[in-house]
Amino acid sequence: MFIKNLTKKYDGKAVVDSVSFEIPKGKVLSLIGPNGAGKSTVMGIISRLIARDTGLVEFDGNDITKWKSRELSKRLAILTQSNNIQMKLTVRELVAFGRFPYSGGRLTEEDEEIIGQAIAYMELEEFQDRFIDELSGGQRQRACIAMVIAQDTEYVLLDEPTNNLDIYHATNMMKIVRRLCDELGKTVVLVLHEINYAAFYSDYICAFVDGKVAKFGPVKEVMTRENLSQIYKVDFQIQEIQGKPLSIYY
């Protein structure tokens, strides 16, 4: 997937300004940067939830806006920051929505098996028959991620997937991200504020500042003290193990 010269303005101000980069296939790419840097807007444009002003998102050789929605949803899944479920649904019913592009609402035996696997991935078996509105924020987040996993797409886009998760489930979430990539060959794009997670679990980093790409490349090249200090305007310190960032602090 190629992103070429994307721009997006609100009230005349560019929140995404001439952004270009390539999403490496079969890798984990994290989008990082300060609040308001344009990360989530770029993610929204990539997933067609936000209309771009100019530029191109090229997906499998075609402009992503030209894809039929059902066909695109078999190739690309998105989890946004806002996941307010208004319907009275159980966890299993919510996760089943991930199979809609394939089944059209008529679940097959294969669909049911995939749904069960997604629920198990997110350690939600004991909650699968409970209603979403009875769960904690972290449990609801995990249920939404299970729905994305059940969609079984080649590309998985997660906007702040560790939001509302405690350290145990946030760490497990990032381990699942790695499993989706390493074991199933999926391409995962994340928006993350937790730069330690980004450094440890990603293959590539795209850092944004003021709507522009400030740095892009492998983790080791981007997550340096000098780069992070410039991006966040804070003097960072980094501890490494075997050449990879282990702990980033300031």
Side-chain angles (χ1 to χ4, degrees):
M1 184 184 289
F2 295 89
I3 289 81
K4 301 178 181 178
N5 297 316
L6 284 187
T7 63
K8 180 67 179 180
K9 294 182 179 180
Y10 290 113
D11 297 326
K13 181 181 179 181
V15 294
V16 175
D17 189 358
S18 301
V19 165
S20 299
F21 62 94
E22 179 182 357
I23 297 176
K25 195 170 184 179
K27 302 295 182 180
V28 176
L29 168 66
S30 288
L31 313 184
I32 68 168
N35 290 335
K39 307 179 297 295
S40 292
T41 303
V42 169
M43 183 77 91
I45 294 172
I46 293 172
S47 61
R48 299 203 313 191
L49 295 178
I50 297 175
R52 69 202 180 210
D53 290 338
T54 62
L56 173 69
V57 177
E58 183 181 305
F59 184 61
D60 203 15
N62 295 310
D63 185 337
I64 202 165
T65 62
K66 306 300 183 185
W67 280 74
K68 293 181 179 179
S69 294
R70 186 162 183 173
E71 291 306 310
L72 183 63
S73 63
K74 293 177 182 179
R75 302 284 304 280
L76 185 151
I78 173 72
L79 177 66
T80 63
Q81 292 183 48
S82 301
N83 296 290
N84 297 319
I85 311 300
Q86 302 298 328
M87 301 169 63
K88 191 73 172 178
L89 295 172
T90 65
V91 168
R92 191 172 185 90
E93 288 169 340
L94 175 66
V95 177
F97 275 108
R99 300 306 300 163
F100 188 84
Y102 306 91
S103 65
R106 298 182 178 181
L107 297 176
T108 65
E109 185 176 335
E110 180 184 6
D111 290 326
E112 294 287 2
E113 183 178 347
I114 293 172
I115 291 164
Q117 290 172 349
I119 289 171
Y121 254 72
M122 296 310 301
E123 299 181 354
L124 288 166
E125 294 99 325
E126 65 178 297
F127 304 110
Q128 63 182 310
D129 296 320
R130 288 178 59 179
F131 290 108
I132 294 296
D133 60 5
E134 297 174 353
L135 304 181
S136 69
Q139 290 166 343
R140 286 195 296 270
Q141 178 80 338
R142 287 157 55 201
C144 289
I145 293 168
M147 177 179 64
V148 169
I149 292 172
Q151 198 171 329
D152 193 23
T153 56
E154 180 182 1
Y155 285 79
V156 177
L157 312 182
L158 304 174
D159 193 352
E160 297 192 40
T162 58
N163 191 30
N164 293 323
L165 299 183
D166 59 34
I167 190 168
Y168 171 80
H169 288 109
T171 302
N172 276 358
M173 177 67 242
M174 297 307 300
K175 290 178 179 178
I176 288 167
V177 166
R178 284 275 20 138
R179 288 175 60 194
L180 291 173
C181 176
D182 298 337
E183 298 176 9
L184 302 180
K186 297 184 184 299
T187 301
V188 185
V189 184
L190 311 163
V191 171
L192 284 178
H193 280 293
E194 299 88 347
I195 57 176
N196 279 289
Y197 283 146
F200 194 77
Y201 291 101
S202 305
D203 298 302
Y204 289 83
I205 300 290
C206 187
F208 289 83
V209 175
D210 296 330
K212 298 181 179 181
V213 175
K215 298 290 179 181
F216 179 90
V219 168
K220 188 174 180 180
E221 293 180 8
V222 176
M223 301 299 263
T224 67
R225 176 182 177 183
E226 294 77 12
N227 286 341
L228 291 175
S229 297
Q230 290 176 6
I231 291 164
Y232 290 97
K233 311 302 181 188
V234 174
D235 187 16
F236 281 89
Q237 303 294 327
I238 298 178
Q239 291 182 340
E240 294 187 353
I241 183 170
Q242 296 180 344
K244 188 169 185 178
L246 176 66
S247 178
I248 301 173
Y249 58 97
Y250 60 89

